[in-house]
Amino acid sequence: MLKRLYSTIQSGSKYTNDFKTYLKLDNGKIGSFFHDVPINYNPTDKTVNMVVEIPRWTNGKFEINGDLPCNPIIQDTKKGKLRFVNNIYPHHGYPHNYGAIPRTWENSTKITEFSKDLKLSGDNDPLDIIDIGSEILKIGDIKKIKILGSLALIDDGELDWKIIGINSTDKLFNELHNLNDVNLKMPNLLNDIKRWFKIYKLPTGKSENNFAFNGEFKDQDFTINIINECHKDWENLIYNKINTSETDNLPINLNSTIENSPGFTEFNESDLNLKPIGKDADIPKDVDDVFYYK
């Protein structure tokens, strides 16, 4: 199979409500980061594709928007204000590159297969994935990531998996094959990941986050089963096999360039109503504050 080339198109200035990053396919059409980028699971080296939403050491909370046509990456808002993640010492913003696994969906209409005892459904988003490599990636990058394990966060009563992996271009890619290797080559990193997810909302006045499975990290095989389940749920969603008639209206736009899907739509750049791009807007000064916790 020929490798497909991707690029991005920006609309509006960064750190404004107009900002969007769109996926551009090699045929010039506008695709969806959610639906049109293949998952590309490779059983030999245990890798998948990652769509980068948030570069390491940055504060802006960017994510694939499931509701808008073409599912661009935008900055999340709360109560009309753009969202930024606080600095939790010793980190600046997000401690690792953060993104999503395309063509996966954490099913919000059922109790997930791997949390039957917890009676938790998914959070209605693609699976989150963390790249623990050294390179600082860019918004909209598509990277090959080796799966190492996972951590199950409980967020507002929903199961929110955090998949942990390493970028294929990282110097440690060939040395890390599981979480034991991570502990050996990157001492304290896994504990720091758990601590950060536990307390990162404290500066906003919220309580500490909780984890499923008593905060136990899940290994590579377990994690790959999670990814496979969420990929199958995505397939059922995109091909209208999910019965959503008795659930709340799912805020997901299924438009994609997948020709045999019910949501097949061809978008061109001229369809996007692109906004002018100026210099990045100023980040609120209080985003530079650092918070300290035991």
Side-chain angles (χ1 to χ4, degrees):
M1 180 183 295
L2 292 176
K3 182 178 180 180
R4 188 157 199 176
L5 300 177
Y6 303 95
S7 57
T8 59
I9 296 175
Q10 180 176 332
S11 175
S13 298
K14 201 173 180 182
Y15 307 124
T16 72
N17 287 307
D18 287 333
F19 175 82
K20 297 179 180 68
T21 294
Y22 289 96
L23 174 71
K24 188 172 184 179
L25 306 175
D26 54 3
N27 62 3
K29 302 297 181 181
I30 303 303
S32 160
F33 285 110
F34 194 166
H35 307 305
D36 288 313
V37 179
I39 187 171
N40 269 8
Y41 172 62
N42 184 325
T44 300
D45 59 11
K46 314 298 185 185
T47 56
V48 295
N49 275 337
M50 169 185 183
V51 175
V52 178
E53 299 169 308
I54 305 170
R56 180 163 60 94
W57 303 143
T58 63
N59 299 85
K61 191 177 188 306
F62 294 94
E63 60 183 18
I64 296 171
N65 184 282
D67 192 24
L68 293 174
C70 302
N71 309 122
I73 297 172
I74 68 170
Q75 189 168 356
D76 192 20
T77 60
K78 188 170 185 178
K79 296 181 179 179
K81 293 184 178 181
L82 294 170
R83 291 185 66 185
F84 294 88
V85 166
N86 297 102
N87 300 312
I88 305 293
Y89 182 83
H91 306 294
H92 186 284
Y94 284 80
H96 304 287
N97 296 303
Y98 193 88
I101 301 178
R103 297 191 181 182
T104 62
W105 178 53
E106 293 203 70
N107 193 334
S108 60
T109 70
K110 72 171 188 179
I111 303 301
T112 178
E113 179 69 23
F114 294 95
S115 67
K116 288 181 178 179
D117 294 339
L118 304 170
K119 296 182 170 55
L120 294 174
S121 59
D123 70 351
N124 202 39
D125 289 325
L127 277 168
D128 294 327
I129 184 168
I130 305 162
D131 166 35
I132 60 174
S134 297
E135 184 182 359
I136 297 177
L137 303 178
K138 298 177 182 178
I139 294 175
D141 279 351
I142 298 170
K143 296 292 184 177
K144 177 182 175 181
I145 304 291
K146 181 190 291 180
I147 302 303
L148 300 171
S150 56
L151 182 65
L153 184 71
I154 300 175
D155 191 3
D156 293 328
E158 298 173 327
L159 193 60
D160 187 11
W161 284 100
K162 307 301 178 184
I163 310 300
I164 299 165
I166 183 76
N167 191 341
S168 64
T169 60
D170 193 87
K171 61 184 179 181
L172 290 178
F173 178 81
N174 291 322
E175 298 182 44
L176 301 183
H177 305 287
N178 51 52
L179 294 182
N180 289 332
D181 292 336
V182 176
N183 281 326
L184 181 64
K185 300 291 183 178
M186 298 175 159
N188 298 320
L189 182 138
L190 293 178
N191 286 335
D192 283 347
I193 287 176
K194 186 189 295 186
R195 177 180 183 269
W196 189 86
F197 277 113
K198 185 178 182 66
I199 67 175
Y200 82 98
K201 291 183 180 179
L202 291 183
T204 68
K206 290 193 172 184
S207 302
E208 292 182 347
N209 283 324
N210 295 313
F211 302 98
F213 309 106
N214 296 316
E216 172 192 348
F217 283 92
K218 293 300 184 180
D219 64 19
Q220 185 185 66
D221 289 340
F222 189 99
T223 301
I224 288 170
N225 286 333
I226 294 165
I227 294 170
N228 287 335
E229 180 191 16
C230 290
H231 178 56
K232 290 176 183 176
D233 281 339
W234 172 85
E235 288 182 327
N236 289 333
L237 176 70
I238 197 80
Y239 295 113
N240 289 342
K241 294 180 181 179
I242 296 287
N243 181 10
T244 61
S245 60
E246 297 180 358
T247 65
D248 293 336
N249 184 34
L250 296 178
I252 293 182
N253 191 305
L254 300 178
N255 292 141
S256 72
T257 63
I258 303 172
E259 293 195 13
N260 58 342
S261 71
F264 170 68
T265 308
E266 283 198 336
F267 282 93
N268 297 297
E269 189 171 337
S270 59
D271 299 321
L272 297 180
N273 189 27
L274 297 174
K275 304 296 183 183
I277 303 172
K279 68 175 185 178
D280 294 352
D282 292 333
I283 294 175
K285 290 186 177 180
D286 62 1
V287 174
D288 288 332
D289 292 346
V290 181
F291 294 82
Y292 301 83
Y293 299 99
K294 290 184 179 180

